[in-house]
Amino acid sequence: TSTTSSHVPGPVPTVIPTPTEYQTLGETGHRTLWVTFALMVLSSGIFALMSWNVPTSKRLFHVITTLITVVASLSYFAMATGHATTFNCSTAWDHHKHVPDTSHQVCRQVFWGRYVDWALTTPLLLLELCLLAGVDGAHTLMAIVADVIMVLCGLFAALGEGGNTAQKWGWYTIGCFSYLFVIWHVALHGSRTVTAKGRGVSRLFTGLAVFALLLWTAYPIIWGIAGGARRTNVDTEIMIYTVLDLLAKPVFGFWLLLSHRAMPETNIDLAGYWSHGLATEG
Ligand code: RET
């Protein structure tokens, strides 16, 4: 006699598959990723060329600005070729009744490459603002650490439980508090220290800082609507982030480097630091 269950008479167990709705990028989103990659590469090339006639000791802002668009180029290359992405699946959400909709699940495409990009480039953007304003190292470092925590919170929120969970919105909330800490540090200390650098630098810092503040604040709003509540399709999300990224990186960079060229008092002399390290007291 056989002992395998296939010989046991009775009802055949059946698995009822949960219908799945995939929210993924389409042709428009895909093309947008490639175009953004090309624009980031082009900007990197122009930024590198802009440092051509600048002595190495005065290239700090050029180096940081170029690095920012180089990292963005890598991130967009990864996303355009289908890397740095995954699907986050959860039970669907009924937006009218505000309850889970158990009839199907939703798997939304998450481009985690963005968070790798942001974790590297937003600290560099903050560093530029702090260097421009003359913010001390301690406060610059605190702002940068809070900024990295902010981005990691966004990553955990994006990759954690997919539905409208306390976990997801908890990470998001912690991220928003970290962001407030960043603004507090850069705006408060920056506006205090920049006055010593004169009117021109003050005006430039204020312009760049307000521009950055408006743009940066759009990111958590878009995140909440698109990645968080899943109220837009993936292509729309890609296009909005592209506009923000182009303004926050290449446009910000051109503004900074062109103004910097016309304002010798924005130069930062690292020569002493490179050759002697930081001085000790006493
Ligand atoms: C997240 C979600 C968690 C809460 C907050 C966020 C803020 C993100 C920001 C991103 C800025 C990106 C930039 C990219 C440059 O190209 C992570 C979306 C507050 C501020 C400037």
Side-chain angles (χ1 to χ4, degrees):
T1 54
S2 169
T3 55
T4 57
S5 59
S6 60
H7 291 262
V8 177
V12 178
T14 53
V15 176
I16 302 165
T18 314
T20 303
E21 175 203 334
Y22 281 97
Q23 300 183 346
T24 177
L25 92 171
E27 195 48 50
T28 312
H30 193 207
R31 220 173 285 150
T32 307
L33 291 174
W34 276 117
V35 170
T36 315
F37 162 69
L39 291 172
M40 292 295 184
V41 171
L42 185 67
S43 307
S44 307
I46 296 174
F47 290 146
L49 283 176
M50 283 171 79
S51 66
W52 199 265
N53 287 323
V54 179
T56 314
S57 65
K58 293 183 177 172
R59 281 185 193 168
L60 187 55
F61 285 116
H62 296 77
V63 169
I64 301 175
T65 304
T66 311
L67 199 49
I68 289 168
T69 48
V70 165
V71 171
S73 307
L74 297 172
S75 153
Y76 271 94
F77 181 79
M79 295 193 287
T81 56
H83 272 159
T85 175
T86 184
F87 282 92
N88 187 325
C89 301
S90 66
T91 305
W93 186 258
D94 188 323
H95 286 295
H96 298 291
K97 296 186 194 140
H98 301 289
V99 289
D101 173 358
T102 50
S103 69
H104 66 291
Q105 66 165 346
V106 177
C107 290
R108 187 179 177 97
Q109 191 165 18
V110 174
F111 289 94
W112 53 261
R114 288 194 192 288
Y115 301 91
V116 179
D117 173 335
W118 297 347
L120 296 168
T121 58
T122 55
L124 293 172
L125 289 163
L126 291 178
L127 182 62
E128 291 193 315
L129 285 172
C130 289
L131 286 172
L132 182 67
V135 175
D136 62 81
H139 288 104
T140 303
L141 185 61
M142 280 195 280
I144 286 176
V145 169
D147 174 83
V148 173
I149 291 175
M150 172 191 85
V151 175
L152 288 177
C153 288
L155 178 67
F156 299 154
L159 294 183
E161 289 172 28
N164 260 327
T165 58
Q167 184 198 65
K168 172 154 108 184
W169 294 109
W171 280 127
Y172 179 78
T173 307
I174 301 171
C176 288
F177 277 108
S178 311
Y179 179 48
L180 292 178
F181 188 90
V182 172
I183 300 173
W184 174 261
H185 266 65
V186 177
L188 192 82
H189 295 282
S191 60
R192 260 189 211 154
T193 55
V194 79
T195 49
K197 296 202 163 195
R199 274 195 150 210
V201 185
S202 284
R203 210 174 291 157
L204 174 61
F205 172 75
T206 307
L208 285 169
V210 170
F211 182 64
L213 177 67
L214 294 176
L215 283 174
W216 285 43
T217 304
Y219 282 85
I221 296 172
I222 297 311
W223 193 99
I225 297 168
R230 300 179 171 178
R231 296 268 191 142
T232 70
N233 64 38
V234 174
D235 279 4
T236 308
E237 180 185 322
I238 289 174
M239 286 189 286
I240 296 173
Y241 277 138
T242 276
V243 172
L244 293 176
D245 284 352
L246 290 173
L247 291 171
K249 291 189 176 99
V251 172
F252 180 94
F254 278 115
W255 183 353
L256 175 66
L257 289 191
L258 291 174
S259 312
H260 173 52
R261 184 155 71 181
M263 242 188 265
E265 66 269 36
T266 55
N267 279 331
I268 289 166
D269 184 14
L270 282 177
Y273 174 66
W274 286 137
S275 45
H276 312 300
L278 293 172
T280 48
E281 268 181 73

